[in-house]
Amino acid sequence: MKIRHRLAAVAGLALAPAIVAAQEVTLKLVSAFPENQFYVKRTTDWIADVNKDGKGVLQINFIGGPKAIPTFEVGKSVQSGVVDIGLSTGAFYTNVMPEADILKLSETSAAEQRKNGGYDLINRIWAEKANMRYLAKVVEFTPFHLYLNKKIDKPDLTGLKIRITPVYREFFQSMNAQVMTTAPGEVYTALERGVIDGYGWPIHTLFDLNWQEKTKYRVDPGFYNAEVGLVMNLDKYKSLTPAQRDYLNRKALAYEAQNDFWKGYNQEETKRQAQAGIETITFDAATSRAYVEKAKEIGWANALKSSPQYGPELKKVLAR
Ligand code: 173
């Protein structure tokens, strides 16, 4: 009897935290970008805020960057539920669905896409094809550029080896580049060893990875619109209580609402590149226009080809 009594008491004690735990959920988040990159700093700041206000409701545990899950595996890990949330750009999970990379063609903003049906369409596609919920876009208003260590005087990359992701593949190939796909974490070494003559990357954050040390030129103008988002395993998202889901949606939207930040930051980063000695390569006005136009044409042609099903619908809400 005595022992039974004691067991009951122990069971009773153990129940109390179990009830609390049912109210609070902890989500595992990984980043497809290296941990020392600025996107991760912004996201861990956001996580701190989520955790501060979310006690007893929802917490996020930052697992790490590509050392935890390799860059090009983050999408798969979110899709399967190995992790709950991924910080990634679509180009890193075209192995889940080709549609992921189409978001780089956005001319409308994330705020506009919340209103014009774009956000709902993205979530319909992400749910159906990737078992994902697209929580928020956290990078936009940011062009990509071609960075080089050899000078060019026209948009011709014949004989040059350029590091890419799916973002740049068809466009750089159309200029005759020899392309090589790598995660951001491998670019520095590739530059150092002279394995590549250049790379595609946004206008910002190349200092985070010290690439300015190994970069001579940036080709202007930029093209496309870099997209980085928070994507979540759909089953996990659906398993949240209404209060948890509302809280997460509200915090994700607040993060997205800060995207104007990038406009000023990109100007500063442009100056910083000049100060670091990165020279700009520019073409005459007509060639520049044609360069940007060609990027766009090739981008959409590839989007429609890779997703005959959703490419046209996405174009309606992403393009102007
Ligand atoms: O170049 C890349 O690694 C890439 O595709 C990308 C996309 C969005 C933001 C930063 C990098």
Side-chain angles (χ1 to χ4, degrees):
M1 272 309 258
K2 236 183 171 178
I3 286 172
R4 239 199 229 166
H5 238 94
R6 214 186 286 156
L7 275 178
V10 169
L13 274 180
L15 216 64
I19 289 164
V20 173
Q23 309 295 326
E24 187 182 276
V25 66
T26 300
L27 305 173
K28 288 190 286 239
L29 185 150
V30 294
S31 168
F33 292 94
E35 277 187 43
N36 52 353
Q37 207 223 349
F38 188 43
Y39 301 161
V40 181
K41 160 89 170 84
R42 274 176 70 81
T43 300
T44 51
D45 286 351
W46 174 75
I47 291 172
D49 176 69
V50 168
N51 291 349
K52 177 172 65 68
D53 297 340
K55 294 205 173 73
V57 181
L58 182 142
Q59 300 284 292
I60 298 176
N61 182 11
F62 177 63
I63 302 293
K67 286 191 194 97
I69 308 254
T71 298
F72 296 109
E73 296 302 319
V74 167
K76 291 259 179 216
S77 304
V78 173
Q79 179 184 35
S80 69
V82 167
V83 296
D84 302 314
I85 301 177
L87 172 71
S88 182
T89 181
F92 296 162
Y93 56 96
T94 53
N95 52 357
V96 174
M97 56 169 181
E99 286 82 0
D101 186 43
I102 299 178
L103 299 183
K104 73 185 177 196
L105 300 173
S106 288
E107 291 168 335
T108 55
S109 67
E112 287 169 308
Q113 289 164 19
R114 294 255 179 187
K115 295 193 187 118
N116 75 0
Y119 184 72
D120 294 332
L121 173 64
I122 288 165
N123 269 305
R124 191 148 54 79
I125 301 167
W126 264 237
E128 182 195 309
K129 299 199 72 175
N131 193 39
M132 284 179 193
R133 176 80 189 171
Y134 194 94
L135 293 174
K137 187 185 282 192
V138 300
V139 175
E140 62 178 324
F141 308 126
T142 297
F144 293 103
H145 285 259
L146 168 62
Y147 296 87
L148 289 173
N149 280 327
K150 290 187 181 147
K151 205 160 190 170
I152 55 170
D153 54 14
K154 55 182 189 300
D156 180 357
L157 304 176
T158 305
L160 299 183
K161 191 153 184 193
I162 310 291
R163 172 272 174 184
I164 58 152
T165 67
V167 165
Y168 326 91
R169 181 176 292 123
E170 287 76 17
F171 181 41
F172 289 178
Q173 280 177 334
S174 80
M175 295 182 277
N176 266 325
Q178 190 191 338
V179 298
M180 182 180 128
T181 302
T182 85
E186 275 122 54
V187 174
Y188 186 90
T189 310
L191 287 167
E192 195 174 37
R193 294 188 184 155
V195 171
I196 52 174
D197 302 304
Y199 56 91
W201 191 253
I203 188 68
H204 60 213
T205 71
L206 61 96
F207 292 88
D208 306 1
L209 305 160
N210 277 320
W211 299 349
Q212 81 285 357
E213 289 175 1
K214 307 284 169 195
T215 304
K216 290 207 182 99
Y217 310 104
R218 183 187 70 244
V219 176
D220 281 357
F223 52 90
Y224 302 149
N225 185 0
E227 170 270 344
V228 177
L230 290 171
V231 288
M232 178 168 180
N233 176 270
L234 187 62
D235 305 303
K236 192 72 183 191
Y237 181 76
K238 285 181 176 166
S239 78
L240 299 179
T241 65
Q244 290 167 339
R245 201 176 313 144
D246 287 351
Y247 179 68
L248 181 60
N249 284 337
R250 195 153 50 76
K251 286 296 187 183
L253 183 59
Y255 193 177
E256 183 177 286
Q258 293 168 22
N259 284 349
D260 270 352
F261 163 84
W262 295 111
K263 295 176 182 173
Y265 187 73
N266 291 343
Q267 287 183 344
E268 287 168 30
E269 288 279 282
T270 307
K271 280 192 209 134
R272 204 173 158 203
Q273 285 184 22
Q275 281 157 7
I278 298 176
E279 291 175 46
T280 55
I281 295 175
T282 52
F283 310 122
D284 63 68
T287 308
S288 294
R289 258 196 313 277
Y291 177 84
V292 174
E293 200 44 47
K294 189 176 182 187
K296 182 173 164 178
E297 247 177 61
I298 287 175
W300 278 114
N302 196 56
L304 301 180
K305 188 171 132 237
S306 68
S307 183
Q309 186 186 6
Y310 289 121
E313 274 190 81
L314 280 167
K315 191 165 184 182
K316 280 187 204 149
V317 289
L318 301 187
R320 285 209 187 275

